[in-house]
Coordinates of all heavy atoms in Angstrom, one line a residue:
V28 N -26.0 -20.0 27.7 CA -24.8 -19.2 27.6 C -24.7 -18.6 26.2 O -24.4 -17.4 26.1 CB -23.6 -19.9 28.1 CG1 -22.3 -19.1 27.8 CG2 -23.7 -20.3 29.6
L29 N -24.8 -19.4 25.2 CA -24.7 -19.0 23.8 C -25.8 -17.9 23.5 O -25.5 -16.9 22.9 CB -24.8 -20.2 22.9 CG -24.7 -19.8 21.4 CD1 -23.3 -19.2 21.1 CD2 -24.9 -21.0 20.5
Y30 N -27.0 -18.2 23.9 CA -28.1 -17.3 23.7 C -27.9 -16.0 24.4 O -28.1 -14.9 23.8 CB -29.4 -18.0 24.1 CG -30.6 -17.1 23.8 CD1 -31.1 -17.0 22.5 CD2 -31.3 -16.4 24.8 CE1 -32.2 -16.3 22.3 CE2 -32.4 -15.6 24.6 CZ -32.8 -15.6 23.3 OH -33.9 -14.8 23.0
L31 N -27.4 -16.0 25.6 CA -27.1 -14.8 26.3 C -26.0 -14.0 25.7 O -26.1 -12.7 25.5 CB -26.7 -15.2 27.8 CG -26.4 -14.0 28.7 CD1 -27.7 -13.1 28.9 CD2 -25.9 -14.5 30.1
M32 N -24.9 -14.6 25.2 CA -23.9 -13.9 24.6 C -24.3 -13.3 23.3 O -24.0 -12.1 23.0 CB -22.7 -14.9 24.3 CG -21.9 -15.2 25.6 SD -20.7 -16.5 25.4 CE -19.8 -15.9 24.0
L33 N -25.1 -14.0 22.5 CA -25.6 -13.5 21.2 C -26.5 -12.3 21.5 O -26.5 -11.3 20.7 CB -26.3 -14.6 20.4 CG -25.3 -15.6 19.8 CD1 -26.1 -16.7 19.1 CD2 -24.4 -15.0 18.8
G34 N -27.3 -12.4 22.5 CA -28.3 -11.4 22.8 C -27.6 -10.1 23.2 O -27.9 -9.0 22.8
I35 N -26.5 -10.2 24.1 CA -25.8 -9.0 24.5 C -25.0 -8.4 23.3 O -25.1 -7.2 23.1 CB -24.8 -9.4 25.6 CG1 -25.5 -9.8 26.9 CG2 -23.8 -8.3 25.9 CD1 -24.7 -10.3 28.0
T36 N -24.4 -9.2 22.5 CA -23.6 -8.7 21.3 C -24.6 -8.1 20.3 O -24.3 -7.0 19.8 CB -22.9 -9.9 20.6 OG1 -22.0 -10.5 21.6 CG2 -22.0 -9.4 19.5
G37 N -25.7 -8.7 20.1 CA -26.7 -8.2 19.1 C -27.3 -6.9 19.6 O -27.4 -6.0 18.8
S38 N -27.6 -6.8 20.8 CA -28.2 -5.6 21.3 C -27.2 -4.4 21.3 O -27.6 -3.3 21.0 CB -28.7 -5.7 22.8 OG -27.6 -6.0 23.6
Q39 N -25.9 -4.7 21.5 CA -24.9 -3.6 21.4 C -24.7 -3.2 19.9 O -24.5 -2.0 19.6 CB -23.6 -4.0 22.0 CG -23.7 -4.1 23.5 CD -22.3 -4.1 24.1 OE1 -21.3 -4.1 23.4 NE2 -22.3 -4.0 25.4
L40 N -24.8 -4.1 19.0 CA -24.7 -3.8 17.6 C -25.9 -2.9 17.1 O -25.7 -2.0 16.4 CB -24.6 -5.0 16.7 CG -23.2 -5.8 16.8 CD1 -23.3 -7.1 16.0 CD2 -22.1 -4.9 16.3
I41 N -27.0 -3.3 17.6 CA -28.2 -2.5 17.2 C -28.2 -1.1 17.9 O -28.7 -0.2 17.3 CB -29.5 -3.3 17.6 CG1 -29.6 -4.6 16.7 CG2 -30.8 -2.5 17.4 CD1 -30.6 -5.6 17.1

Side-chain angles (χ1 to χ4, degrees):
V28 171
L29 178 63
Y30 184 75
L31 182 62
M32 288 174 47
L33 289 175
I35 291 172
T36 305
S38 65
Q39 288 199 356
L40 289 174
I41 293 170

